[in-house]
């Protein structure tokens, strides 16, 4: 009897508690073990407006696999692929994808299904935004310099390559996820997935060239922090 | 179909849908996990409406297997037995992405758009005109083409864009169009003289990574999505989905769009047109600094005699 009451109380607490109470965290670092494809120098001479943004000593390069200090890996999407029940909660804030120096800032943009995305053009030249979606609708819009931000939404989870047809070196990814627990690694390769209620989770890390890998993590207590690291196998080409 | 069969069919349907619950886990591409196969409704659920004609996918199936399957393939994915020898490749209906639409980029075309495409055929491709087939047959084919993509069940076609009445063809309009052609950087692909030789032209690929050429205006060849000025207007306002050609609807006002159409016609140097006559009358030179555009006319008035600007040569 007593246990039943306690259980009910606990269950009620689970129902009532807002998500922020759960301060379980999964964090860690993504590194690569071995070579990655050599990044090529981009020749922007056909677009002088962008070429002048880069000093001759530091020419722009492709970003299919960017390795930093200590073999850290940038532009890796780390997300909860199973276990998080937050499909229906769309974050109110918009995600921004900027075009600057004839590149996508950021190279990989992650967002929740149906979350607002604003696409901006900071360059003195025209771009066209062409997400090559397969599950979502494919569209293609022009954005001349000085035009207002484009609003976009994607209603299906998908890893969408995005490109600009005018500048063939412009490639990026828009990653639409069914969860709010995700991060895209920066130069240090670090990630942190916060506000997780206790439970079993599958964490997936995805990199456009090296593929993806998964790990199962269990958050036991309300404030537990688990550290997991992803080490991708290198790929020379 | 009697009531019992109907019930059975609908029951088996709901069962199929219940079985095909997509996995909750989200798999990245190339993870080797089996993807859930989308359940497509039965063929007879698809129809098309062209004026007073209603097309039925059930009837379209036989016609498709007779006329279309050789290129577009039995699964509608553009992999028919002729496909390896064809360039550009046949349309892949499973993506439900279509070039020639009256609807905004990213939306499905209307039945009329598809009917017009089948009727017109596609210049510089292997898609012929299908005028010999009756309108009923063409409508049936369109209904059947819809069975290849679940998008036709989950989405409605877009709302066709509004095409304002055409503004008068004047040398000033042509000049404003030229300025727009430069400003919007159309020349990056189409080339400064519309000869398909812009700096980005050689690198263009379509959504299937096949090389694709921008339209070369100087040949004066038939445009893929129709020959009227309104068709050109539609081309750049809706964009040609699946190709590098984007939509300019967010950044071009209707009166500007007509200016651009008038200028583009002058790039078709070998094709007789009102625009080329106006240009010739103005001495064959397009003035550099165009006067500001008048707002678009709301109704179809007769083109008024405009003052010749001093810059237009004799």
């Amino acid at each position: 009897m007593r246990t039943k009451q306690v259980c009910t109380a606990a269950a009620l607490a689970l129902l009532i508690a807002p998500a922020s109470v759960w301060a379980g965290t999964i964090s860690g670092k993504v590194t690569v073990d071995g070579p990655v494809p050599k990044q090529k120098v981009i020749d922007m001479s056909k677009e002088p407006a962008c070429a002048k943004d880069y000093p001759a000593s530091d020419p722009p390069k492709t970003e299919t696999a960017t390795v930093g200090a200590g073999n850290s890996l940038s532009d890796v999407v780390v997300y909860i692929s199973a276990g998080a029940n937050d499909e229906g909660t769309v974050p109110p804030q918009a995600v921004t994808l900027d075009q600057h120096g004839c590149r996508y800032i950021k190279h990989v943009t992650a967002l929740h299904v149906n979350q607002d995305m604003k696409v901006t053009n900071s360059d003195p030249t025209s771009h066209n935004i062409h997400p090559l979606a397969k599950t979502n609708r494919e569209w293609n819009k022009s954005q001349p310099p000085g035009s207002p931000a484009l609003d976009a939404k994607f209603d299906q989870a998908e890893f969408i390559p995005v490109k600009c047809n005018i500048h063939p070196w412009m490639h990026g990814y828009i990653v639409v996820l069914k969860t709010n627990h995700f991060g895209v690694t920066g130069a240090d390769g670090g990630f942190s997935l916060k506000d997780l209620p206790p439970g079993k989770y599958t964490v997936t890390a995805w990199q456009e060239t090296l593929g993806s890998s998964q790990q199962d993590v269990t958050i036991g207590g309300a404030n537990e922090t688990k550290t997991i690291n992803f080490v991708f196998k290198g790929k020379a080409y | 179909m009697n009531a019992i069969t109907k019930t059975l069919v609908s029951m088996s349907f709901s069962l199929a849908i219940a079985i095909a619950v997509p996995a909750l886990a989200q798999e990245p591409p190339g993870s080797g996990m089996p993807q859930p196969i989308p359940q497509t409704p039965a063929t007879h659920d698809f129809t098309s409406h062209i004026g007073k004609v209603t097309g039925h996918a059930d009837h379209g199936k036989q016609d498709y297997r007779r006329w279309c399957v050789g290129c577009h393939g039995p699964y509608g994915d553009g992999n028919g037995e002729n496909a390896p020898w064809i360039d550009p490749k046949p349309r892949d209906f499973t993506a439900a992405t279509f070039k020639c639409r009256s609807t905004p980029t990213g939306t499905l075309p209307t039945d009329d758009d598809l009917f017009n495409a089948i009727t017109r055929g596609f210049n510089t491709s292997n898609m012929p005109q299908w005028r010999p087939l009756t309108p009923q047959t063409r409508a049936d084919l369109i209904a059947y083409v819809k069975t290849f993509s679940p998008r036709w069940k989950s989405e409605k076609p877009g709302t066709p864009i509004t095409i304002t009445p055409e503004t008068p063809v004047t040398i000033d309009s042509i000049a404003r169009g030229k300025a727009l052609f430069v400003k919007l950087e159309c020349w990056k692909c189409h080339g400064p003289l519309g000869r398909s030789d812009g700096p980005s032209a050689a690198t263009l690929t379509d959504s299937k990574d096949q090389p694709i050429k921008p339209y070369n205006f100087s040949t004066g060849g038939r445009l893929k999505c129709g020959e009227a000025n309104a068709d050109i207007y539609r081309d750049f306002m809706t964009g040609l989905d699946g190709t590098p050609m984007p939509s300019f609807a967010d950044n071009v006002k209707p009166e500007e769009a007509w200016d651009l159409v008038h200028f583009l016609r002058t790039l078709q140097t070998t094709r007789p047109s009102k625009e080329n006559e106006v240009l010739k009358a103005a001495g064959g030179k397009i003035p550099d600094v165009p006067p500001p555009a008048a707002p678009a006319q709301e109704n179809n008035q007769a083109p008024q005699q405009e003052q010749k600007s001093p810059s237009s040569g004799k």
Side-chain angles (χ1 to χ4, degrees):
Chain A
M1 196 70 198
R2 168 70 62 85
T3 35
K4 206 171 179 182
Q5 275 170 350
V6 170
C7 280
T8 321
L12 271 175
L14 272 175
L15 283 173
I16 296 163
S20 53
V21 166
W22 310 116
T25 305
I26 300 174
S27 60
K29 193 173 166 175
V30 185
T31 53
V32 60
D33 177 24
V36 296
K38 193 168 184 296
Q39 298 302 299
K40 298 182 183 72
V41 170
I42 298 169
D43 175 12
M44 291 197 188
S45 57
K46 282 184 174 172
E47 190 55 84
C50 287
K52 67 172 175 46
D53 288 355
Y54 303 93
S57 58
D58 186 19
K61 286 192 171 147
T62 52
E63 296 166 288
T64 58
T66 310
V67 180
N71 290 336
S72 64
L73 207 49
S74 325
D75 298 323
V76 182
V77 183
V78 182
Y79 63 102
I80 302 274
S81 53
N85 295 323
D86 54 359
E87 268 191 54
T89 48
V90 180
Q93 73 278 13
V95 173
T96 303
L97 172 62
D98 188 31
Q99 296 158 107
H100 189 88
C102 290
R103 284 208 275 188
Y104 291 112
I105 313 295
K106 305 278 186 78
H107 179 66
V108 175
T109 305
L111 72 166
H112 190 281
V113 167
N114 282 328
Q115 188 175 1
D116 285 317
M117 184 171 83
K118 292 212 174 303
V119 186
T120 54
N121 180 2
S122 313
D123 282 333
T125 176
S126 271
H127 292 299
N128 71 309
I129 302 96
H130 193 170
L132 297 166
K134 297 237 179 328
T135 319
N136 288 281
R137 300 167 185 189
E138 182 191 333
W139 49 264
N140 183 1
K141 289 180 179 176
S142 159
Q143 197 173 34
S147 48
L150 279 171
D151 292 320
K153 259 187 205 185
F154 300 93
D155 54 9
Q156 305 284 331
E158 189 183 359
F159 291 71
I160 308 171
V162 57
K163 73 175 184 181
C164 168
N165 297 97
I166 303 170
H167 307 108
W169 59 81
M170 282 177 74
H171 278 277
Y173 272 89
I174 298 168
V175 178
V176 188
L177 299 165
K178 287 188 213 168
T179 175
N180 286 319
H181 296 96
F182 60 79
V184 183
T185 61
D188 62 352
F191 66 89
S192 177
L193 311 173
K194 294 189 177 71
D195 300 333
L196 290 162
K200 284 188 176 161
Y201 297 100
T202 305
V203 185
T204 300
W206 172 88
Q207 205 281 340
E208 64 178 90
T209 308
L210 306 174
S212 67
S213 78
Q214 295 190 328
Q215 292 187 41
D216 289 337
V217 184
T218 303
I219 296 278
N223 284 324
E224 195 175 358
T225 298
K226 278 273 171 83
T227 304
I228 55 167
N229 293 319
F230 286 95
V231 181
F232 279 92
K233 261 177 70 108
K235 210 164 136 179
Y237 299 102
Chain B
M1 206 192 282
N2 62 27
I4 294 173
T5 340
K6 260 196 183 144
T7 324
L8 276 174
V9 165
S10 65
M11 271 170 67
S12 59
F13 241 159
S14 35
L15 199 65
I17 287 164
I19 291 165
V21 171
L24 274 178
Q26 191 182 336
E27 294 302 334
S31 60
M33 291 296 287
Q35 300 288 331
I37 295 165
Q39 294 290 321
T40 43
T43 308
H44 65 251
D45 280 359
F46 291 91
T47 54
S48 69
H49 301 278
I50 315 291
K52 288 181 183 160
V53 179
T54 301
H56 298 279
D58 280 351
H59 307 168
K61 190 170 181 173
Q62 293 88 336
D63 293 314
Y64 180 90
R65 296 200 171 188
R66 178 160 186 195
W67 307 110
C68 319
V69 74
C71 299
H72 293 282
Y75 306 109
D77 56 2
N79 282 330
E81 57 181 325
N82 308 333
W85 287 274
I86 292 178
D87 182 33
K89 293 291 170 214
R91 170 65 50 200
D92 172 357
F93 300 125
T94 62
T97 302
F98 294 90
K99 274 207 280 287
C100 300
R101 304 174 327 280
S102 59
T103 59
T105 181
T107 61
L108 292 172
T110 63
D111 290 354
D112 282 321
D113 290 339
L114 296 177
F115 186 85
N116 293 342
I118 289 187
T119 307
R120 199 178 47 235
F122 286 99
N123 195 22
T124 65
S125 86
N126 280 54
M127 176 78 177
Q129 298 188 348
W130 291 98
R131 286 175 205 277
L133 301 182
T134 63
Q136 179 66 58
T137 304
R138 281 178 257 155
D140 291 343
L141 283 169
I142 289 161
Y144 186 67
V145 158
K146 292 181 185 179
T147 63
F148 294 123
S149 167
R151 278 184 65 187
W152 290 103
K153 272 292 166 221
S154 58
E155 293 170 37
K156 291 257 178 300
T159 311
I161 61 160
T162 312
I163 299 187
T164 57
E166 184 167 358
T167 56
V169 180
T170 62
I171 189 67
D172 291 340
S173 169
I174 292 172
R176 286 191 298 266
K178 182 178 180 180
L180 208 58
F181 184 85
V182 173
K183 181 182 146 217
L184 296 173
E185 300 180 14
C186 313
W187 55 272
K188 281 260 167 80
C189 300
H190 289 282
L193 298 173
R195 289 179 181 167
S196 166
D197 57 356
S200 305
T203 63
L204 297 179
T205 53
D206 68 10
S207 300
K208 293 206 151 194
D209 278 336
Q210 297 287 328
I212 188 168
K213 285 198 182 80
Y215 175 71
N216 183 342
F217 289 89
S218 65
T219 62
R222 273 196 309 126
L223 288 143
K224 276 200 165 80
C225 296
E227 267 298 71
N229 277 9
D231 293 319
I232 302 183
Y233 182 111
R234 207 180 287 122
D235 285 347
F236 56 74
M237 286 303 221
T238 63
L240 306 186
D241 282 2
T243 80
M245 177 74 188
S247 153
F248 288 84
D250 296 339
N251 302 298
V252 176
K253 297 185 194 74
E255 63 271 20
E256 289 180 323
W258 284 118
D259 291 340
L260 186 55
V261 170
H262 295 155
F263 169 70
L264 294 177
R265 281 290 187 208
T266 67
L267 293 177
Q268 295 181 311
T269 46
T270 53
R271 188 181 176 279
S273 66
K274 181 149 198 270
E275 290 80 0
N276 277 332
E277 285 168 30
V278 169
L279 181 60
K280 199 171 165 195
K285 259 184 73 80
I286 300 176
D288 274 343
V289 186
Q297 288 173 321
E298 287 307 309
N299 47 18
N300 256 330
Q301 293 170 2
Q304 290 149 5
Q305 278 295 315
E306 295 226 344
Q307 291 267 313
K308 274 246 168 74
S309 70
S311 55
S312 54
K314 274 270 168 277

